[in-house]
Amino acid sequence: GEALGAIRARVLAELIQDQLQYHDDRERQCRCAAHSFALWGEALFFSVLVLIGAKLALLMFFAADGLTIALGLFAVIFPALAAGLVGFRSYAELQALAEQSHHMIDRLARAKQRIERLAFDRPLVSQALSARVFEVAIAMLQDIDGWARLFRVKIVEAA
């Protein structure tokens, strides 16, 4: 029982908790990055409307000068930047990565609960513990397979 308890503690601390922390960090980073790209893209598109309105107002009341030319230049540059941010957000698959990590967090949390509930006074508990660790290994391999598929699709898209 003590040996299995030590193994369980190591599995929980060194495998499952580390993976939970990794996926929690990745999900948070991907969601934050996706939100930032969307926010900056929308802000840049809105600023284009403001710039165009300001330029039209200046042209209606004053002759073309350096300020109206600068406003026109910014009205051309900002949409390109905004489109680039939206494109980068889409190409980076940030939402897909965040969802993948969210799914892994759920699977790992359930595995952690099942491992914690194992009673070491029951017969064949070592097989049950190894089966739970095997489930975690399979989940991690499926996560790697998901990454591989995502990057394979990106290679095909680039071609």
Side-chain angles (χ1 to χ4, degrees):
E2 287 181 34
L4 287 176
I7 291 170
R8 175 173 65 180
R10 286 191 68 190
V11 165
L12 290 173
E14 296 177 17
L15 177 64
I16 294 178
Q17 195 57 44
D18 286 351
Q19 284 294 305
L20 281 169
Q21 185 64 47
Y22 166 77
H23 284 287
D24 186 53
D25 291 345
R26 185 176 83 167
E27 179 184 22
R28 189 175 5 87
Q29 289 171 351
C30 288
R31 288 196 192 282
C32 182
H35 177 73
S36 295
F37 285 134
L39 186 66
W40 278 103
E42 291 169 3
L44 285 170
F45 274 120
F46 178 73
S47 66
V48 169
L49 295 176
V50 172
L51 289 170
I52 290 171
K55 181 178 179 178
L56 290 175
L58 286 172
L59 287 174
M60 285 176 36
F61 299 110
F62 304 104
D65 61 358
L67 181 60
T68 56
I69 293 170
L71 289 175
L73 184 62
F74 286 128
V76 171
I77 292 172
F78 282 6
L81 289 174
L85 288 171
V86 170
F88 184 76
R89 178 180 176 226
S90 296
Y91 190 76
E93 300 285 350
L94 296 168
Q95 290 299 112
L97 292 174
E99 288 301 318
Q100 189 177 9
S101 280
H102 182 75
H103 178 68
M104 278 299 293
I105 289 169
D106 287 344
R107 288 182 78 175
L108 290 166
R110 285 192 309 270
K112 181 180 179 182
Q113 288 174 348
R114 285 192 298 268
I115 290 171
E116 289 173 338
R117 285 185 286 180
L118 289 175
F120 292 123
D121 59 343
R122 302 185 94 174
L124 302 176
V125 72
S126 61
Q127 280 86 357
L129 178 59
S130 66
R132 300 301 169 260
V133 172
F134 184 72
E135 290 170 2
V136 171
I138 294 297
M140 291 170 65
L141 288 172
Q142 289 172 344
D143 183 49
I144 291 169
D145 183 54
W147 272 88
R149 287 182 190 187
L150 179 65
F151 287 113
R152 245 183 270 133
V153 167
K154 291 299 174 191
I155 291 169
V156 170
E157 285 178 358

